[in-house]
Amino acid sequence: MQEKSFQIGVVGLGIIGSAISKHLLSSNHQVIGFDIDQNKLIENNEQRLTISTSLEELLRSSDVIITCLPNEQSLNDTVNQLVSLKDAAVKTIIEMSTLGIVCKSENKEKLIPKNIHLLDCPISGTGEQASRADIVIYASGDKQSYKEIESIFNSFSKNCFYVGDFGNGSKIKLIANFLVSIHNVASAEAILLADQTGIDLEKIFEVISSGAGTSKIFELRAPMMMKREYKPATMKMNVWKKDMTLIREFIDLYGISTPLFAVTEELYESALEMGLEEEDTAAVYETLKKIDKEGADQDAQ
């Protein structure tokens, strides 16, 4: 049976939004995109995506909106404009950004009088994974609304989990990112240890990747650490800083003791202080190299 076709508007055409749009275009959906960055509009226009001249136009012509936004103000602005329109076609918003739960909840409440459902559906995966439709979605919110648009996720993800009440998606996303942050640092320490002990790095990657010690983060970022090349970035340090802040706020809200994350935070901050803002988060390896060198210099004195 052919899946239902939707008129989908994608707001935010960064790495993730562009990848999602591409996959939707290959399915049985009509897609229109918008971004306040004109350069992103030009880039996506070359990929045959229908470009909206304004956010208002997109909101008037789409029954489902997918938002992939960089910050909370962008979501506020999008929802405020939607609320102000009398003839918007939107019935459901699939909110896929990594933002604070309070911000998402406030915008969900704004839309209730308009009978528009906002679903909290953050992504697990990198931009590179999104390009291959290899991401996972944590969907939460009104179950009936989710069921009505569930087929959309099949176009651009390998799996979508419905996790219950609104906000649960973001909670799970923050827990996942909590682990990602630590796994990334653990991978950097492992590569440094292998390097210092004289083991061939290509061999250590092959062996570790096949055993119990591996992780998706190790497999993604260890090769970058081995080469000490961090571009193109799958996740830039300056973008990850926002995620780290959200994780810290989440931890503090529940008063959980997280000593590993506390050390991890310091290492990412050191990477930013070293001027690695535009590099992939694998560049946290450089902070460990620096610490190791400083320790060796002190021992030599």
Side-chain angles (χ1 to χ4, degrees):
M1 184 176 68
Q2 189 177 38
E3 293 183 346
K4 180 180 177 181
S5 178
F6 294 91
Q7 178 71 42
I8 302 173
V10 179
V11 182
L13 297 174
I15 296 173
I16 299 292
S18 296
I20 289 174
S21 298
K22 180 188 69 175
H23 294 305
L24 289 170
L25 282 170
S26 299
S27 64
N28 190 36
H29 302 296
Q30 300 177 59
V31 188
I32 182 171
F34 175 78
D35 198 294
I36 59 173
D37 186 338
Q38 292 297 312
N39 289 327
K40 289 187 173 64
L41 295 181
I42 294 170
E43 292 168 4
N44 282 274
N45 194 38
E46 294 175 354
Q47 298 179 21
R48 298 181 295 104
L49 174 65
T50 299
I51 297 298
S52 176
T53 57
S54 69
L55 176 59
E56 181 176 334
E57 179 190 36
L58 181 145
L59 297 175
R60 291 186 190 278
S61 59
S62 306
D63 50 3
V64 176
I65 298 294
I66 295 176
T67 50
C68 301
L69 303 169
N71 53 56
E72 295 184 353
Q73 190 58 53
S74 296
L75 179 60
N76 293 338
D77 292 344
T78 300
V79 170
N80 288 341
Q81 183 152 359
L82 180 55
V83 169
S84 70
L85 294 177
K86 294 182 180 180
D87 56 348
V90 181
K91 296 180 178 64
T92 306
I93 298 179
I94 302 172
E95 212 307 289
M96 310 196 80
S97 321
T98 303
L99 303 174
I101 298 172
V102 171
C103 171
K104 292 195 179 191
S105 297
E106 289 175 349
N107 282 291
K108 171 182 172 290
E109 294 301 312
K110 292 179 192 176
L111 293 165
I112 291 176
K114 304 282 288 187
N115 198 30
I116 299 171
H117 291 282
L118 189 149
L119 300 177
D120 172 36
C121 305
I123 294 168
S124 175
T126 65
E128 193 273 335
Q129 287 176 289
S131 71
R132 296 184 280 109
D134 189 36
I135 55 177
V136 174
I137 313 298
Y138 308 132
S140 61
D142 183 76
K143 191 169 187 177
Q144 181 178 346
S145 297
Y146 167 74
K147 286 295 184 182
E148 289 174 356
I149 53 87
E150 184 178 9
S151 62
I152 291 175
F153 296 111
N154 297 331
S155 303
F156 58 84
S157 69
K158 68 176 180 181
N159 211 336
C160 180
F161 295 95
Y162 176 74
V163 295
D165 293 342
F166 186 90
N168 283 357
S170 284
K171 291 176 182 178
I172 293 174
K173 167 70 172 184
L174 292 174
I175 293 169
N177 279 2
F178 168 89
L179 287 169
V180 166
S181 68
I182 294 172
H183 287 171
N184 194 42
V185 170
S187 297
E189 289 190 348
I191 295 301
L192 180 63
L193 181 60
D195 185 44
Q196 292 297 321
T197 52
I199 301 176
D200 178 78
L201 295 185
E202 295 290 343
K203 179 57 67 175
I204 196 76
F205 178 75
E206 177 187 0
V207 172
I208 295 298
S209 295
S210 67
T214 193
S215 69
K216 287 186 179 295
I217 296 303
F218 178 84
E219 292 169 20
L220 176 67
R221 297 208 165 98
M224 303 175 80
M225 297 171 185
M226 289 157 53
K227 296 176 182 177
R228 300 180 74 177
E229 295 177 1
Y230 310 110
K231 290 182 179 179
T234 60
M235 170 59 75
K236 292 182 180 180
M237 278 283 187
N238 56 4
V239 177
W240 186 244
K241 180 180 180 180
K242 177 201 70 175
D243 289 29
M244 293 290 285
T245 299
L246 289 173
I247 296 168
R248 170 48 64 191
E249 291 173 353
F250 186 56
I251 291 169
D252 291 345
L253 178 64
Y254 290 92
I256 305 298
S257 176
T258 54
L260 282 177
F261 184 74
V263 174
T264 296
E265 281 180 293
E266 294 177 4
L267 291 170
Y268 284 110
E269 282 298 323
S270 296
L272 290 170
E273 291 170 4
M274 290 171 63
L276 301 172
E277 297 94 338
E278 296 295 320
E279 309 292 316
D280 190 273
T281 52
V284 73
Y285 180 68
E286 297 303 315
T287 67
L288 295 176
K289 290 286 288 184
K290 181 181 178 182
I291 292 170
D292 183 66
K293 183 178 184 304
E294 289 172 348
D297 290 344
Q298 289 180 357
D299 291 341
Q301 291 177 359

